[in-house]
Protein backbone atom coordinates (compact mmCIF):
# COMPACT_ATOMS: atom_id res chain seq x y z
CA UNK A 1 0.00 0.00 0.00
CA UNK A 2 1.35 3.32 -1.03
CA UNK A 3 -0.88 5.65 0.97
CA UNK A 4 -2.78 5.56 4.25
CA UNK A 5 -5.69 7.37 2.62
CA UNK A 6 -7.02 7.72 -0.89
CA UNK A 7 -9.37 10.70 -0.91
CA UNK A 8 -11.83 10.90 -3.76
CA UNK A 9 -12.82 14.51 -4.34
CA UNK A 10 -10.81 17.67 -3.74
CA UNK A 11 -13.74 19.68 -2.38
CA UNK A 12 -14.02 20.93 1.17
CA UNK A 13 -14.64 17.56 2.82
CA UNK A 14 -11.76 15.90 1.00
CA UNK A 15 -9.36 18.79 1.53
CA UNK A 16 -10.07 19.09 5.26
CA UNK A 17 -9.84 15.34 5.81
CA UNK A 18 -6.56 15.29 3.87
CA UNK A 19 -5.15 18.17 5.91
CA UNK A 20 -6.02 16.48 9.19
CA UNK A 21 -4.50 13.19 8.09
CA UNK A 22 -1.34 14.84 6.77
CA UNK A 23 -0.82 16.84 9.93
CA UNK A 24 -1.15 13.56 11.78
CA UNK A 25 1.75 12.15 9.81
CA UNK A 26 -0.33 10.01 7.46
CA UNK A 27 0.29 9.65 3.75
CA UNK A 28 -2.51 10.87 1.54
CA UNK A 29 -3.43 10.96 -2.12
CA UNK A 30 -6.29 13.19 -3.24
CA UNK A 31 -7.87 12.62 -6.65
CA UNK A 32 -10.59 14.51 -8.47
CA UNK A 33 -12.26 13.83 -11.77
CA UNK A 34 -12.39 17.52 -12.58
CA UNK A 35 -9.33 19.39 -13.77
CA UNK A 36 -9.32 21.66 -10.74
CA UNK A 37 -9.44 21.45 -6.96
CA UNK A 38 -12.08 22.95 -4.62
CA UNK A 39 -15.16 21.06 -5.85
CA UNK A 40 -18.21 23.26 -6.05
CA UNK A 41 -16.64 26.11 -4.10
CA UNK A 42 -14.17 26.63 -6.97
CA UNK A 43 -13.64 30.25 -7.94
CA UNK A 44 -12.06 31.35 -11.20
CA UNK A 45 -10.44 34.66 -12.04
CA UNK A 46 -12.19 36.56 -14.84
CA UNK A 47 -10.89 40.08 -15.49
CA UNK A 48 -9.78 40.37 -11.85
CA UNK A 49 -13.14 39.16 -10.50
CA UNK A 50 -13.39 35.91 -8.57
CA UNK A 51 -16.25 34.09 -10.27
CA UNK A 52 -18.01 31.41 -8.20
CA UNK A 53 -18.18 28.88 -11.03
CA UNK A 54 -20.56 26.42 -9.36
CA UNK A 55 -22.82 28.89 -7.62
CA UNK A 56 -22.38 31.57 -5.00
CA UNK A 57 -20.81 30.53 -1.71
CA UNK A 58 -20.91 32.74 1.34
CA UNK A 59 -19.13 31.36 4.33
CA UNK A 60 -21.06 31.65 7.58
CA UNK A 61 -20.88 29.77 10.83
CA UNK A 62 -21.60 29.83 14.53
CA UNK A 63 -18.95 27.23 15.16
CA UNK A 64 -15.86 28.90 16.62
CA UNK A 65 -13.71 25.84 15.99
CA UNK A 66 -14.62 25.85 12.30
CA UNK A 67 -14.10 29.61 12.03
CA UNK A 68 -10.67 29.34 13.67
CA UNK A 69 -9.87 26.50 11.32
CA UNK A 70 -10.74 28.31 8.05
CA UNK A 71 -9.23 31.60 9.13
CA UNK A 72 -5.95 29.84 9.75
CA UNK A 73 -5.83 29.15 5.99
CA UNK A 74 -7.23 32.41 4.59
CA UNK A 75 -8.13 35.94 5.51
CA UNK A 76 -11.86 36.54 5.25
CA UNK A 77 -13.41 39.82 4.19
CA UNK A 78 -16.41 41.25 6.00
CA UNK A 79 -18.98 40.46 3.31
CA UNK A 80 -22.50 40.21 4.68
CA UNK A 81 -25.07 38.49 2.55
CA UNK A 82 -28.18 40.59 1.99
CA UNK A 83 -29.95 39.45 -1.15
CA UNK A 84 -32.69 41.47 -2.77
CA UNK A 85 -35.88 39.81 -3.99
CA UNK A 86 -37.30 41.00 -7.28
CA UNK A 87 -40.98 40.10 -7.65
CA UNK A 88 -42.19 41.39 -11.01
CA UNK A 89 -40.14 44.56 -10.57
CA UNK A 90 -41.06 45.10 -6.91
CA UNK A 91 -37.93 44.93 -4.78
CA UNK A 92 -37.94 43.47 -1.27
CA UNK A 93 -35.25 42.99 1.35
CA UNK A 94 -34.23 39.52 2.40
CA UNK A 95 -34.29 37.72 4.73
CA UNK A 96 -37.78 38.54 5.94
CA UNK A 97 -37.40 41.53 8.25
CA UNK A 98 -38.95 44.89 9.05
CA UNK A 99 -37.90 46.36 5.67
CA UNK A 100 -39.70 43.49 3.93
CA UNK A 101 -42.83 43.84 6.09
CA UNK A 102 -42.90 47.60 5.60
CA UNK A 103 -42.70 47.27 1.81
CA UNK A 104 -45.28 44.46 1.76
CA UNK A 105 -47.87 45.89 4.15
CA UNK A 106 -46.84 49.44 5.05
CA UNK A 107 -46.39 48.42 8.69
CA UNK A 108 -43.81 50.53 10.49
CA UNK A 109 -43.09 48.80 13.78
CA UNK A 110 -42.59 45.23 15.02
CA UNK A 111 -45.93 45.11 16.80
CA UNK A 112 -47.83 45.95 13.60
CA UNK A 113 -45.80 43.43 11.62
CA UNK A 114 -46.39 40.70 14.19
CA UNK A 115 -50.11 41.48 14.16
CA UNK A 116 -50.27 41.22 10.37
CA UNK A 117 -48.43 37.88 10.35
CA UNK A 118 -50.63 36.56 13.15
CA UNK A 119 -53.76 37.60 11.22
CA UNK A 120 -52.61 35.70 8.13
CA UNK A 121 -51.56 32.72 10.22
CA UNK A 122 -55.02 32.56 11.80
CA UNK A 123 -56.75 32.88 8.44
CA UNK A 124 -54.76 29.94 7.10
CA UNK A 125 -55.68 27.86 10.17
CA UNK A 126 -52.41 25.94 10.30
CA UNK A 127 -51.54 24.44 13.66
CA UNK A 128 -48.93 21.86 12.80
CA UNK A 129 -47.17 22.62 9.49
CA UNK A 130 -46.81 19.45 7.46
CA UNK A 131 -44.86 20.75 4.48
CA UNK A 132 -42.92 23.75 3.20
CA UNK A 133 -46.03 25.69 2.15
CA UNK A 134 -47.69 25.36 5.55
CA UNK A 135 -44.42 26.06 7.32
CA UNK A 136 -43.83 29.21 5.28
CA UNK A 137 -47.35 30.57 5.76
CA UNK A 138 -47.20 29.97 9.47
CA UNK A 139 -43.84 31.76 9.66
CA UNK A 140 -44.52 34.84 7.54
CA UNK A 141 -48.12 34.75 6.29
CA UNK A 142 -49.73 34.26 2.92
CA UNK A 143 -48.63 37.47 1.13
CA UNK A 144 -44.94 36.88 1.64
CA UNK A 145 -45.36 33.21 0.86
CA UNK A 146 -47.01 34.02 -2.45
CA UNK A 147 -44.69 36.81 -3.57
CA UNK A 148 -41.33 35.82 -2.16
CA UNK A 149 -41.36 32.08 -1.48
CA UNK A 150 -43.70 30.05 -3.66
CA UNK A 151 -42.35 30.93 -7.12
CA UNK A 152 -38.70 30.84 -6.09
CA UNK A 153 -38.98 27.57 -4.19
CA UNK A 154 -40.94 25.77 -6.90
CA UNK A 155 -38.40 26.87 -9.54
CA UNK A 156 -35.53 25.89 -7.28
CA UNK A 157 -36.84 22.46 -6.37
CA UNK A 158 -39.09 21.67 -9.35
CA UNK A 159 -41.78 20.43 -6.98
CA UNK A 160 -44.86 22.01 -5.43
CA UNK A 161 -44.23 23.54 -1.98
CA UNK A 162 -46.80 21.14 -0.58
CA UNK A 163 -44.48 18.25 -1.43
CA UNK A 164 -41.31 19.72 0.04
CA UNK A 165 -39.96 19.26 3.56
CA UNK A 166 -40.44 22.25 5.85
CA UNK A 167 -36.82 22.33 7.06
CA UNK A 168 -35.72 23.96 3.78
CA UNK A 169 -37.54 27.18 4.60
CA UNK A 170 -36.31 27.16 8.17
CA UNK A 171 -32.88 27.96 6.75
CA UNK A 172 -34.15 31.53 6.36
CA UNK A 173 -34.45 33.76 9.40
CA UNK A 174 -37.59 35.81 10.09
CA UNK A 175 -36.88 38.96 12.09
CA UNK A 176 -38.84 41.80 13.60
CA UNK A 177 -35.80 44.06 13.28
CA UNK A 178 -34.34 46.19 10.50
CA UNK A 179 -31.55 43.74 9.71
CA UNK A 180 -30.85 42.59 6.16
CA UNK A 181 -28.14 40.13 7.13
CA UNK A 182 -29.32 36.87 5.55
CA UNK A 183 -27.56 34.63 8.03
CA UNK A 184 -27.93 34.28 11.74
CA UNK A 185 -24.28 33.55 12.19
CA UNK A 186 -21.59 34.85 14.47
CA UNK A 187 -18.97 34.68 11.74
CA UNK A 188 -19.36 35.46 8.05
CA UNK A 189 -17.24 36.42 5.06
CA UNK A 190 -15.59 35.45 1.79
CA UNK A 191 -11.99 34.28 1.66
CA UNK A 192 -9.81 37.00 0.19
CA UNK A 193 -8.32 35.65 -3.03
CA UNK A 194 -11.22 33.23 -3.54
CA UNK A 195 -12.18 29.76 -2.39
CA UNK A 196 -9.75 28.01 -4.72
CA UNK A 197 -6.90 29.66 -2.84
CA UNK A 198 -8.46 28.66 0.49
CA UNK A 199 -8.74 25.01 -0.55
CA UNK A 200 -5.26 25.09 -2.03
CA UNK A 201 -3.93 26.36 1.31
CA UNK A 202 -5.84 23.64 3.18
CA UNK A 203 -4.39 21.00 0.87
CA UNK A 204 -0.89 22.44 1.29
CA UNK A 205 1.69 19.95 0.09
CA UNK A 206 -0.78 17.09 -0.25
CA UNK A 207 -0.36 15.12 -3.47
CA UNK A 208 -3.33 15.80 -5.75
CA UNK A 209 -4.07 14.14 -9.08
CA UNK A 210 -6.64 15.88 -11.24
CA UNK A 211 -8.69 14.49 -14.10
CA UNK A 212 -8.83 11.06 -12.44
CA UNK A 213 -12.21 9.36 -12.38
CA UNK A 214 -12.36 7.05 -9.37
CA UNK A 215 -15.35 4.97 -10.38
CA UNK A 216 -13.85 4.30 -13.82
CA UNK A 217 -10.52 3.16 -12.39
CA UNK A 218 -11.72 1.80 -9.09
CA UNK A 219 -9.76 -1.43 -8.85
CA UNK A 220 -6.45 0.15 -9.68
CA UNK A 221 -7.01 3.11 -7.35
CA UNK A 222 -8.31 0.99 -4.47
CA UNK A 223 -5.00 -0.84 -4.54
CA UNK A 224 -3.25 2.38 -3.51
CA UNK A 225 -4.65 2.71 0.01
CA UNK A 226 -6.31 0.80 2.83
CA UNK A 227 -8.84 3.52 3.48
CA UNK A 228 -10.79 5.32 0.81
CA UNK A 229 -12.61 8.54 1.63
CA UNK A 230 -15.26 8.93 -1.03
CA UNK A 231 -17.00 12.29 -1.41
CA UNK A 232 -18.87 11.60 -4.65
CA UNK A 233 -22.52 10.66 -4.88
CA UNK A 234 -23.27 7.54 -2.83
CA UNK A 235 -25.75 6.16 -5.37
CA UNK A 236 -23.15 6.48 -8.15
CA UNK A 237 -20.68 4.50 -6.01
CA UNK A 238 -23.11 1.59 -5.96
CA UNK A 239 -23.85 1.89 -9.68
CA UNK A 240 -27.36 3.22 -8.90
CA UNK A 241 -28.24 -0.39 -8.03
CA UNK A 242 -31.23 0.64 -5.88
CA UNK A 243 -32.29 3.40 -8.28
CA UNK A 244 -30.97 6.91 -8.36
CA UNK A 245 -31.32 9.46 -5.61
CA UNK A 246 -32.78 12.71 -6.87
CA UNK A 247 -30.71 15.88 -7.02
CA UNK A 248 -31.30 19.35 -8.27
CA UNK A 249 -28.80 20.56 -10.76
CA UNK A 250 -28.02 24.15 -11.70
CA UNK A 251 -27.05 25.62 -15.04
CA UNK A 252 -25.20 28.91 -15.07
CA UNK A 253 -25.30 31.43 -17.86
CA UNK A 254 -22.29 33.67 -17.34
CA UNK A 255 -21.87 37.05 -18.99
CA UNK A 256 -18.99 39.51 -18.90
CA UNK A 257 -20.57 42.95 -19.21
CA UNK A 258 -18.91 46.13 -20.30
CA UNK A 259 -20.32 48.14 -17.44
CA UNK A 260 -19.16 48.59 -13.87
CA UNK A 261 -22.41 47.84 -12.09
CA UNK A 262 -25.28 45.65 -13.27
CA UNK A 263 -27.53 45.22 -10.25
CA UNK A 264 -25.77 46.88 -7.32
CA UNK A 265 -25.79 43.74 -5.20
CA UNK A 266 -24.18 40.29 -5.15
CA UNK A 267 -27.50 38.42 -5.30
CA UNK A 268 -30.91 39.30 -6.68
CA UNK A 269 -33.53 36.56 -6.38
CA UNK A 270 -36.32 36.46 -8.95
CA UNK A 271 -39.18 35.18 -6.87
CA UNK A 272 -42.01 35.09 -9.43
CA UNK A 273 -42.70 31.84 -11.23
CA UNK A 274 -42.49 33.25 -14.79
CA UNK A 275 -38.84 34.41 -14.86
CA UNK A 276 -36.95 31.26 -15.85
CA UNK A 277 -33.89 31.86 -13.68
CA UNK A 278 -33.95 31.74 -9.89
CA UNK A 279 -31.33 34.39 -9.23
CA UNK A 280 -28.64 36.57 -10.76
CA UNK A 281 -25.27 36.75 -9.06
CA UNK A 282 -22.96 39.70 -9.70
CA UNK A 283 -19.65 38.33 -8.51
CA UNK A 284 -17.65 41.52 -7.96
CA UNK A 285 -19.82 42.50 -4.98
CA UNK A 286 -18.55 39.54 -2.97
CA UNK A 287 -15.24 41.33 -2.88
CA UNK A 288 -14.09 44.67 -1.72
CA UNK A 289 -11.95 47.29 -3.38
CA UNK A 290 -13.94 47.04 -6.59
CA UNK A 291 -15.02 50.63 -6.78
CA UNK A 292 -18.79 51.13 -6.97
CA UNK A 293 -18.38 53.76 -9.67
CA UNK A 294 -16.34 51.38 -11.74
CA UNK A 295 -13.14 53.39 -11.67
CA UNK A 296 -11.20 50.35 -10.56
CA UNK A 297 -13.04 47.73 -12.58
CA UNK A 298 -15.10 48.94 -15.53
CA UNK A 299 -16.44 45.43 -16.20
CA UNK A 300 -18.63 43.02 -14.31
CA UNK A 301 -19.48 39.32 -14.48
CA UNK A 302 -23.00 38.09 -13.84
CA UNK A 303 -24.44 34.57 -13.66
CA UNK A 304 -28.03 33.65 -14.19
CA UNK A 305 -28.94 30.44 -12.36
CA UNK A 306 -31.36 27.96 -13.84
CA UNK A 307 -32.43 25.10 -11.67
CA UNK A 308 -33.18 21.70 -13.20
CA UNK A 309 -33.81 18.10 -12.26
CA UNK A 310 -30.56 16.16 -12.24
CA UNK A 311 -30.10 13.50 -14.92
CA UNK A 312 -27.08 11.28 -15.54
CA UNK A 313 -24.23 13.39 -16.92
CA UNK A 314 -25.30 16.56 -15.02
CA UNK A 315 -23.54 17.91 -11.94
CA UNK A 316 -25.52 17.09 -8.79
CA UNK A 317 -25.85 20.15 -6.53
CA UNK A 318 -28.68 19.85 -4.06
CA UNK A 319 -29.86 16.58 -2.54
CA UNK A 320 -33.66 16.47 -2.44
CA UNK A 321 -34.14 15.43 1.16
CA UNK A 322 -37.81 14.51 0.89
CA UNK A 323 -39.23 11.34 2.36
CA UNK A 324 -38.82 9.17 -0.70
CA UNK A 325 -35.18 10.10 -1.22
CA UNK A 326 -34.34 9.97 2.48
CA UNK A 327 -35.65 6.41 2.58
CA UNK A 328 -33.64 5.46 -0.47
CA UNK A 329 -30.54 7.02 1.05
CA UNK A 330 -31.04 4.90 4.18
CA UNK A 331 -30.99 1.82 1.95
CA UNK A 332 -27.75 2.96 0.35
CA UNK A 333 -26.33 3.44 3.83
CA UNK A 334 -27.06 -0.20 4.53
CA UNK A 335 -25.14 -1.10 1.36
CA UNK A 336 -22.28 1.06 2.62
CA UNK A 337 -22.22 -0.88 5.89
CA UNK A 338 -22.25 -4.19 4.01
CA UNK A 339 -19.42 -2.93 1.81
CA UNK A 340 -17.38 -2.14 4.90
CA UNK A 341 -18.00 -5.59 6.39
CA UNK A 342 -16.66 -7.10 3.18
CA UNK A 343 -13.68 -4.76 3.05
CA UNK A 344 -12.79 -5.29 6.69
CA UNK A 345 -11.82 -8.90 5.92
CA UNK A 346 -8.90 -7.47 3.92
CA UNK A 347 -8.25 -4.76 6.52
CA UNK A 348 -9.78 -2.13 4.26
CA UNK A 349 -12.40 0.53 4.68
CA UNK A 350 -14.48 3.13 2.86
CA UNK A 351 -15.80 6.36 4.34
CA UNK A 352 -18.58 8.33 2.68
CA UNK A 353 -18.48 12.07 3.36
CA UNK A 354 -19.72 15.46 2.24
CA UNK A 355 -22.88 16.74 0.58
CA UNK A 356 -22.96 13.98 -2.03
CA UNK A 357 -21.46 11.14 -0.01
CA UNK A 358 -23.96 11.67 2.80
CA UNK A 359 -26.79 13.00 0.64
CA UNK A 360 -27.24 15.96 2.93
CA UNK A 361 -27.96 19.66 2.30
CA UNK A 362 -24.80 20.67 4.14
CA UNK A 363 -23.51 24.24 4.31
CA UNK A 364 -19.76 24.73 3.99
CA UNK A 365 -19.18 25.06 7.73
CA UNK A 366 -21.09 21.86 8.39
CA UNK A 367 -19.02 20.02 5.80
CA UNK A 368 -15.83 21.21 7.45
CA UNK A 369 -17.10 20.29 10.92
CA UNK A 370 -18.10 16.84 9.73
CA UNK A 371 -14.71 16.24 8.08
CA UNK A 372 -12.92 17.28 11.29
CA UNK A 373 -15.09 14.94 13.37
CA UNK A 374 -14.83 12.15 10.83
CA UNK A 375 -11.04 12.24 10.95
CA UNK A 376 -11.01 12.33 14.75
CA UNK A 377 -13.26 9.29 14.87
CA UNK A 378 -10.79 7.52 12.60
CA UNK A 379 -7.89 8.03 14.92
N1 LIG B 1 -36.18 30.88 -0.54
C1 LIG B 1 -37.30 31.55 -0.98
N2 LIG B 1 -37.16 32.79 -1.51
C2 LIG B 1 -35.95 33.39 -1.63
C3 LIG B 1 -34.81 32.72 -1.17
C4 LIG B 1 -34.94 31.44 -0.63
O1 LIG B 1 -38.39 31.02 -0.90
O2 LIG B 1 -35.90 34.51 -2.15
C5 LIG B 1 -36.35 29.51 0.02
C6 LIG B 1 -36.23 28.43 -1.05
O3 LIG B 1 -37.13 27.40 -0.72
C7 LIG B 1 -34.82 27.96 -0.90
C8 LIG B 1 -34.64 28.04 0.60
O4 LIG B 1 -35.35 29.20 0.96
O5 LIG B 1 -34.65 26.65 -1.38
C9 LIG B 1 -33.22 28.10 1.07
O6 LIG B 1 -32.59 29.19 0.47
P1 LIG B 1 -31.04 29.39 0.55
O7 LIG B 1 -30.75 30.78 0.09
O8 LIG B 1 -30.57 28.96 1.87
O9 LIG B 1 -30.54 28.36 -0.55
P2 LIG B 1 -29.10 28.16 -1.22
O10 LIG B 1 -28.37 29.45 -1.07
O11 LIG B 1 -28.49 26.99 -0.51
O12 LIG B 1 -29.43 27.86 -2.63
Amino acid sequence: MKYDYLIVGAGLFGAVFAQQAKSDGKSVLVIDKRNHIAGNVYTEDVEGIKVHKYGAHIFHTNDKEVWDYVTSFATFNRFTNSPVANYKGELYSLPFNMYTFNKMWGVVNPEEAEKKIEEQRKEAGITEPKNLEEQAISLVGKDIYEKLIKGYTEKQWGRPCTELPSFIIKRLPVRLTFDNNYFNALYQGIPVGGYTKLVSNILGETEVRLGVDYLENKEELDALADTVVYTGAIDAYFGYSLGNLEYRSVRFENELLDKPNFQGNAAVNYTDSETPWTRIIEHKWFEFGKDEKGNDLPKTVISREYSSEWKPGDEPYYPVNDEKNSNLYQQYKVLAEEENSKLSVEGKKIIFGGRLGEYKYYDMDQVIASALICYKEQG
Side-chain angles (χ1 to χ4, degrees):
M1 285 296 158
K2 210 167 161 232
Y3 302 93
D4 294 313
Y5 293 100
L6 170 71
I7 299 179
V8 182
L12 277 177
F13 190 96
V16 171
F17 194 99
Q19 185 276 330
Q20 292 288 289
K22 282 279 279 188
S23 67
D24 206 15
K26 301 285 197 283
S27 57
V28 179
L29 172 65
V30 176
I31 58 168
D32 201 296
K33 69 175 172 189
R34 288 179 178 159
N35 61 6
H36 60 74
I37 59 161
N40 280 2
V41 305
Y42 176 68
T43 43
E44 188 179 80
D45 210 295
V46 178
E47 304 264 342
I49 300 166
K50 303 284 173 303
V51 174
H52 297 214
K53 282 294 268 203
Y54 303 91
H57 285 80
I58 299 131
F59 197 89
H60 56 99
T61 190
N62 279 315
D63 188 330
K64 173 112 181 15
E65 196 186 325
V66 168
W67 183 245
D68 288 345
Y69 180 84
V70 288
T71 52
S72 71
F73 295 101
T75 304
F76 279 67
N77 70 20
R78 56 150 197 85
F79 180 81
T80 300
N81 191 27
S82 41
V84 169
N86 182 327
Y87 177 79
K88 303 185 179 183
E90 289 171 31
L91 300 184
Y92 292 92
S93 297
L94 291 174
F96 313 120
N97 71 77
M98 284 305 298
Y99 289 112
T100 329
F101 306 140
N102 172 261
K103 179 88 188 252
M104 188 68 71
W105 300 313
V107 295
V108 297
N109 61 45
E111 211 170 293
E112 286 176 26
E114 181 62 34
K115 210 170 127 212
K116 194 79 195 172
I117 295 173
E118 190 52 40
E119 229 174 75
Q120 299 209 342
R121 206 179 272 148
K122 275 219 183 90
E123 250 168 57
I126 298 157
T127 43
E128 263 177 60
K130 286 187 299 293
N131 53 51
L132 196 152
E133 173 171 297
E134 295 187 1
Q135 181 68 62
I137 295 173
S138 63
L139 280 174
V140 283
K142 200 160 179 274
D143 294 340
I144 289 183
Y145 169 68
E146 278 172 0
K147 284 190 169 178
L148 304 182
I149 298 176
K150 189 173 193 293
Y152 186 92
T153 301
E154 295 187 345
K155 283 191 288 189
Q156 160 87 7
W157 295 97
R159 291 159 175 72
C161 288
T162 47
E163 288 173 22
L164 284 165
S166 47
F167 82 87
I168 292 176
I169 202 68
K170 288 202 200 137
R171 288 168 60 86
L172 269 73
V174 178
R175 303 197 181 103
L176 293 172
T177 55
F178 292 91
D179 180 1
N180 287 331
N181 180 358
Y182 197 65
F183 299 117
N184 271 330
L186 275 174
Y187 312 102
Q188 181 172 185
I190 307 270
V192 175
Y195 286 93
T196 309
K197 193 171 150 201
L198 166 72
V199 175
S200 166
N201 288 345
I202 294 175
L203 284 166
E205 300 294 304
T206 306
E207 184 181 346
V208 180
R209 291 188 205 161
L210 297 173
V212 179
D213 189 320
Y214 172 72
L215 295 177
E216 294 207 334
N217 307 282
K218 192 169 176 304
E219 220 169 291
E220 186 189 319
L221 291 163
D222 280 343
L224 296 177
D226 279 337
T227 304
V228 174
V229 178
Y230 174 85
T231 70
I234 187 167
D235 53 344
Y237 180 91
F238 291 107
Y240 305 104
S241 59
L242 304 174
N244 74 278
L245 289 161
E246 290 171 301
Y247 299 90
R248 294 299 287 171
S249 193
V250 190
R251 183 171 62 81
F252 300 95
E253 250 175 42
N254 297 338
E255 260 186 272
L256 173 64
L257 303 176
D258 223 352
K259 54 168 93 170
N261 191 354
F262 171 75
Q263 62 184 16
N265 203 35
V268 176
N269 293 357
Y270 286 78
T271 58
D272 63 302
S273 50
E274 290 81 19
T275 307
W277 54 84
T278 49
R279 58 187 168 195
I280 300 182
I281 300 298
E282 186 170 9
H283 299 268
K284 66 176 0 180
W285 304 127
F286 288 125
E287 297 172 79
F288 289 84
K290 315 273 185 243
D291 193 296
E292 286 85 345
K293 292 200 187 100
N295 297 334
D296 290 351
L297 262 188
K299 296 190 182 191
T300 194
V301 179
I302 61 164
S303 304
R304 288 187 174 78
E305 288 187 20
Y306 299 84
S307 182
S308 62
E309 197 64 26
W310 176 89
K311 49 180 191 340
D314 293 346
E315 293 287 352
Y317 282 85
Y318 296 89
V320 181
N321 292 108
D322 60 8
E323 209 179 309
K324 177 180 127 197
N325 287 291
S326 302
N327 289 339
L328 184 55
Y329 169 65
Q330 288 308 325
Q331 294 172 37
Y332 274 113
K333 254 183 99 172
V334 173
L335 287 192
E337 280 155 26
E338 287 169 8
E339 180 88 345
N340 268 315
S341 319
K342 270 189 258 158
L343 288 172
S344 66
V345 181
E346 309 159 49
K348 296 185 134 221
K349 185 172 178 176
I350 177 143
I351 296 167
F352 293 85
R355 207 183 245 219
L356 300 176
E358 294 176 64
Y359 196 66
K360 209 165 170 185
Y361 190 1
Y362 270 138
D363 286 332
M364 289 181 281
D365 63 324
Q366 297 168 320
V367 167
I368 291 170
S370 75
L372 293 172
I373 292 167
C374 182
Y375 185 75
K376 256 186 220 136
E377 285 174 352
Q378 279 303 290

